[in-house]
Amino acid sequence: MNLIFLGPPGAGKGTAAARVAEEFGMPHISTGDLFRAAIKNETELGLQVKAITEKGDLVPDSLTIELVNDRLKDGDAANGFILDGFPRTIPQAEALETASKITRVLNFKLDDEEIIERLSGRRVCRSCGKGYHVHFMPPKKPGICDVCGGELYTRKDDSIESIKNRLSVYAEQTEPLIEFYRSRDLLSDVDAKPSAERVFDSLKAMLEAL
Ligand SMILES: [Zn+2]
């Protein structure tokens, strides 16, 4: 099974990908992780990624494609993989098409209002890094970490303004992939509104039926 998990930020596809990867014994390949690993290992591609991201620019398609294609050649991806965060653009999807045969694309669906509620409610402890959510996982005392008593804050990425920006980038660059894969008869919609547990159960049933 060569799978792509597609969906807007906040739809829970990273969490779902990690669980499905564990359940089915396949690697969970996220471009964020690939970038971080390449930078840490100071590979040739990693040094290029580092120079680009340090300037605050987006990693170009060509470089992202090269990193992903390299990763897909690793032995553990031979019998299947989950791609999370890739492809993000039509050129990336076209490049992937020439390198690998995709079995299924799971399209996580969640409306913008719900995404904003989920992401803007996130809080992180400044001292120990533990994550909270004002509605779904509140600390015992508002604004204070249960574990270490540190101060909770909202990451810049989770500010309303930043979330709206991420959603518009997603709509512009990534939403066209829905039609791209639907026209190839590869797309399955996933309702991302229920709990992570229920989303996982329905994914599992869907994949076992493939
Ligand atoms: Zn803490």
Side-chain angles (χ1 to χ4, degrees), residues 125 128 145 148:
C125 173
C128 73
C145 177
C148 75

Side-chain angles (χ1 to χ4, degrees), residues 16-190:
R19 288 205 58 187
V20 170
E22 200 189 349
E23 178 78 18
F24 290 88
M26 59 212 289
H28 169 200
I29 301 171
S30 114
T31 37
D33 291 345
L34 286 183
F35 290 157
R36 279 185 289 275
I39 291 170
K40 189 166 166 250
N41 298 329
E42 299 186 323
T43 63
E44 197 190 315
L45 290 174
L47 294 174
Q48 291 180 49
V49 170
K50 191 173 178 211
I52 292 161
T53 51
E54 272 178 354
K55 279 192 292 175
D57 291 337
L58 284 177
V59 180
D61 282 344
S62 57
L63 203 53
T64 310
I65 290 163
E66 218 176 314
L67 267 173
V68 172
N69 281 346
D70 271 2
R71 177 64 184 88
L72 293 180
K73 285 181 196 136
D74 288 352
D76 67 341
N79 294 317
F81 52 78
I82 301 174
L83 286 172
D84 166 16
F86 182 92
R88 215 180 267 275
T89 63
I90 294 282
Q92 290 181 1
E94 286 168 346
L96 179 64
E97 208 168 33
T98 64
S100 288
K101 188 164 163 43
I102 297 303
T103 316
R104 208 73 208 153
V105 179
L106 299 162
N107 177 37
F108 286 63
K109 294 182 75 165
L110 195 63
D111 55 43
D112 284 2
E113 215 172 293
E114 177 84 16
I115 291 169
I116 291 168
E117 195 198 347
R118 284 189 187 183
L119 295 179
S120 65
R122 289 196 207 170
R123 298 291 180 270
V124 181
C125 173
R126 224 180 261 289
S127 308
C128 73
K130 184 174 162 52
Y132 295 87
H133 191 285
V134 291
H135 303 305
F136 309 124
M137 212 201 292
K140 291 194 187 89
K141 270 192 225 160
I144 306 288
C145 177
D146 292 348
V147 180
C148 75
E151 180 203 358
L152 304 185
Y153 77 108
T154 308
R155 291 187 320 150
K156 218 173 151 203
D157 249 17
D158 294 334
S159 68
I160 303 268
E161 194 186 347
S162 169
I163 296 164
K164 286 188 172 160
N165 182 46
R166 287 157 74 193
L167 288 174
S168 74
V169 170
Y170 182 80
E172 192 180 314
Q173 296 192 346
T174 312
E175 263 178 14
L177 293 179
I178 294 171
E179 272 322 301
F180 181 92
Y181 287 118
R182 203 188 297 283
S183 70
R184 284 157 175 76
D185 210 13
L186 288 173
L187 201 80
S188 295
D189 287 330
V190 176

